[in-house]
Amino acid sequence: MIDRRHLLGAGALALLSTQALTARAADTGLDLALVNGQVWTGRPSAPLADAIGVAAGKIAAVGAGQVRALTTSRTRVIDLAGAFAMPAFIDNHTHFRLASTMLAQPDLLGAADRADFVNRVGQAASQLRPGRWLRGGSWDEQRLGGQLPDRHWIDAASPETPFIAPRTDLHMYLVNSLALRLAGITRETPDPAGGVIDRDASGEPTGILRDNAKDLVDRVIPPTSEAETDEAMRAGIAHGLSRGVAQVHCPEIDWSVQDSLLRLRGRGETDMRFYSFVPLQDWERMAEFVAGHGRGDDWVRWGGVKGLADGSLGSRTALFYDPYADAPDQRGTRVMALDELREAVIAADRHGLHVTVHAIGDRANDDVLDIFAEAERVNGARDRRFRIEHAQHVRPQSIPRFARQNVIASVQPFHAIDDGRWAVQRIGPARLAGTYAFASFLEAGARMTFGSDWPVGPIDPITGVHAAVTRRTIDAANPDGWIPEEKITVEQALIAYTGQNAYAGFQEDRLGELSIGRLADIAVLDVNPLTAPIDGLAKIQVLQTIVDGQPRYEA
């Protein structure tokens, strides 16, 4: 059982009013001062400054004059020497436990070709005792020549080691023959609802499992211990802080992240802020948890639920109105049946939970917008901030609905420069309008937030900013940008990673800008991205990440 008094006790100072904070700073001085820098506050009315002062974990002074007046002998002064300070990044979408675990797994995404891929699997398998599961890092067949891997690639390299590795989009597994055998998957095994078992010409499973078919293997993998999970989470926190990220949202498909976060928070080991979502199907359990334990504190919060409307573009399970251009017999997959999705969204919303739904294809996005509209009609008006995770392929006529319905487009810019290498093969050129439509969302007046979908993309907002501004695909095939009309400015990208993400987590009064009274989460970069040459954006380095007024990472 959670001791909420202990959980919330460390945040007591954060409850100081702005007036009390100012009085405290005037009486005892600043705890921390960042001076002689370029400061982007994120405030539309006063975006630029040259110094920031911190007291009691909050911003207590903005500008050299205020900071100088409140600096005392006890103030720790950091000379920025011209470096750039800004609100620390918030990442709107991570699979944090999985990604953290993958930091210690073989890097398959970096494999140059099939032989390199197989060699990396074999080397990792040789380090394990027979029978122990090998979880590989993610992979992408587009980086391996375009051919989808199968069990025959890896069986000889892992004959006594059950192997599982997700495709980079997390909607497909590659497993070897031993893993199939342990899971009881044979030619007689039917496709589960919302999932596909790929089969060869003779009907035998190939080792590729899509969406809900992945569960058939997941259920036979020995669970990771709590200690192993928490150790991986700590490694992920350190990794994220090194990229300037002070908070992540975790729209998960299980409870493992939330369970670990509660353990870490109870020991004061978070260092990074978290907003936890759990499966939409578990809305009753979450509603009961909120009733008994509140919604957490500024370090670890909960009360969100996430549903899945469809799969992914790469796996051809994203749900479209029209068939896939390279698979005319396929239109995608409903991961949750439409009636089930509708019923769960409306029920969760009725109980005051924060609802978000994954939707990739144009039909899936329309389905979710329709359901959100119905939930508002049934449950009445309130500030609910529905989100659609990814909102990747939206019909142009549907984009204005996001603004009209106040639905947040929770998007990940790295996906555009990754998928942009091959998306046209999946859906054809006519349907590219409304694809990763960053500029169109903003022009329509919609709220758009940015993140990584780590490990699908790197937890690296600088890379995300570069992707959104240039839209240059990772194969460097289009130097002017893929669908260049959807480029946005650097400042728009920074806002999507800061103020808009704070709004998307109901924290716009706490985070997202550097103004007096806000929590002191600050990222320090070596170069000002607002004035840097476009070609230099990707080279910007994080020098320091400050969370709650404490330096948590220093380069």
Side-chain angles (χ1 to χ4, degrees):
M1 183 60 65
I2 301 165
D3 183 348
R4 287 193 69 233
R5 290 172 298 178
H6 176 74
L7 183 65
L8 300 178
L13 280 177
L15 299 178
L16 287 170
S17 68
T18 300
Q19 184 177 8
L21 176 71
T22 303
R24 179 195 184 282
D27 183 45
T28 64
L30 299 171
D31 299 323
L32 179 69
L34 282 70
V35 301
N36 190 27
Q38 303 176 72
V39 177
W40 179 71
T41 68
R43 295 181 62 197
S45 60
L48 302 178
D50 51 9
I52 292 290
V54 175
K58 288 190 173 184
I59 305 298
V62 179
Q66 286 187 13
V67 170
R68 189 163 45 246
L70 296 174
T71 297
T72 68
S73 58
R74 61 174 291 275
T75 303
R76 178 184 177 185
V77 178
I78 297 177
D79 185 348
L80 295 176
F84 179 82
M86 60 172 284
F89 295 109
I90 302 171
D91 190 311
N92 70 12
H93 189 120
T94 67
H95 300 280
F96 205 82
R97 180 200 60 80
L98 173 63
S100 298
T101 300
M102 289 171 63
L103 291 173
Q105 293 172 347
D107 174 20
L108 302 180
L109 199 59
D113 51 32
R114 173 174 173 170
D116 187 17
F117 183 94
V118 173
N119 183 58
R120 294 182 187 214
V121 172
Q123 285 187 343
S126 69
Q127 304 301 312
L128 300 176
R129 64 178 182 269
R132 185 171 181 181
W133 282 79
L134 171 61
R135 298 170 180 262
S138 60
W139 50 271
D140 179 1
E141 78 281 0
Q142 301 297 331
R143 305 188 194 193
L144 300 169
Q147 181 184 358
L148 202 63
D150 62 34
R151 60 188 171 89
H152 299 298
W153 283 32
I154 53 177
D155 278 351
S158 54
E160 300 180 299
T161 303
F163 171 82
I164 178 174
R167 190 184 184 277
T168 183
D169 58 10
L170 304 183
H171 287 267
M172 191 187 297
Y173 278 170
L174 169 66
V175 301
N176 63 0
S177 293
L178 179 54
L180 288 172
R181 186 160 62 252
L182 291 173
I185 300 173
T186 70
R187 63 183 298 129
E188 308 301 329
T189 305
D191 288 347
V196 177
I197 301 170
D198 279 22
R199 306 169 196 271
D200 61 23
S202 65
E204 295 292 336
T206 67
I208 292 292
L209 306 173
R210 302 174 191 255
D211 286 300
N212 288 350
K214 298 183 292 141
D215 297 342
L216 301 175
V217 171
D218 284 338
R219 67 191 182 191
V220 300
I221 300 175
T224 303
S225 71
E226 291 183 358
E228 291 171 327
T229 296
D230 295 352
E231 180 181 5
M233 292 282 285
R234 284 189 288 267
I237 289 169
H239 182 70
L241 290 170
S242 74
R243 302 302 193 267
V245 178
Q247 181 177 170
V248 296
H249 296 179
C250 301
E252 298 291 351
I253 56 174
D254 60 35
W255 287 71
S256 62
V257 168
Q258 174 147 324
D259 291 343
S260 178
L261 289 174
L262 294 175
R263 293 192 297 269
L264 294 174
R265 182 70 186 106
R267 298 193 295 264
E269 296 180 1
T270 44
D271 283 341
M272 179 187 284
R273 305 186 195 278
F274 289 84
Y275 184 24
S276 170
F277 292 71
V278 299
L280 174 62
Q281 299 94 318
D282 294 343
W283 68 265
E284 289 180 279
R285 177 180 170 189
M286 176 52 75
E288 291 175 1
F289 193 84
V290 168
H293 305 290
R295 293 177 183 261
D297 63 2
D298 285 325
W299 286 102
V300 176
R301 296 176 303 124
W302 53 81
V305 290
K306 174 204 174 181
L308 289 163
D310 65 346
S312 74
L313 186 70
S315 298
R316 295 190 190 87
T317 52
L319 186 65
F320 287 94
Y321 286 102
D322 297 322
Y324 280 86
D326 57 355
D329 60 333
Q330 299 178 36
R331 296 173 187 259
T333 302
R334 294 192 192 278
V335 176
M336 288 184 71
L338 190 58
D339 288 345
E340 178 188 359
L341 181 63
R342 179 185 296 108
E343 180 181 350
V345 167
I346 293 173
D349 178 66
R350 184 184 307 121
H351 286 77
L353 300 179
H354 189 194
V355 179
T356 188
V357 178
H358 160 119
I360 301 286
D362 54 15
R363 185 167 187 176
N365 276 276
D366 281 353
D367 285 346
V368 175
L369 288 168
D370 290 344
I371 290 171
F372 284 168
E374 183 177 352
E376 185 165 7
R377 286 194 303 271
V378 171
N379 296 332
R382 76 163 194 276
D383 184 13
R384 48 179 38 91
R385 305 189 192 183
F386 281 142
R387 296 166 46 161
I388 293 183
E389 302 302 313
H390 310 308
Q392 283 185 194
H393 309 284
V394 182
R395 294 191 302 169
Q397 62 266 38
S398 298
I399 289 174
R401 294 185 63 184
F402 283 78
R404 289 199 305 268
Q405 296 180 215
N406 194 28
V407 173
I408 297 165
S410 174
V411 304
Q412 296 74 44
F414 181 81
H415 290 347
I417 65 169
D418 190 5
D419 291 9
R421 296 167 296 143
W422 47 265
V424 68
Q425 300 170 22
R426 291 283 191 270
I427 58 177
R431 279 189 280 171
L432 292 183
T435 290
Y436 303 96
F438 307 150
S440 294
F441 279 126
L442 295 180
E443 290 166 4
R447 289 189 181 270
M448 179 179 69
T449 72
F450 276 177
S452 64
D453 202 11
W454 190 48
V456 180
I459 185 170
D460 185 357
I462 297 300
T463 295
V465 170
H466 182 261
V469 171
T470 69
R471 294 183 71 99
R472 295 172 183 166
T473 53
I474 60 176
D475 60 2
N478 33 32
D480 295 328
W482 181 62
I483 317 180
E485 61 270 24
E486 294 295 350
K487 294 177 184 178
I488 63 173
T489 69
V490 171
E491 187 165 35
Q492 287 172 329
L494 294 180
I495 291 170
Y497 270 117
T498 55
Q500 292 292 3
N501 268 334
Y503 177 88
F506 291 92
Q507 286 184 302
E508 70 273 19
D509 62 336
R510 315 282 287 159
L511 290 167
E513 63 181 52
L514 302 181
S515 58
I516 293 175
R518 303 294 177 101
L519 296 171
D521 292 2
I522 305 166
V524 179
L525 313 181
D526 64 343
V527 173
N528 183 343
L530 296 168
T531 59
I534 295 298
D535 289 340
L537 282 176
K539 301 175 183 178
I540 292 175
Q541 299 294 311
V542 175
L543 300 179
Q544 193 168 63
T545 305
I546 295 167
V547 186
D548 209 48
Q550 298 293 322
R552 312 277 171 170
Y553 166 77
E554 296 182 66

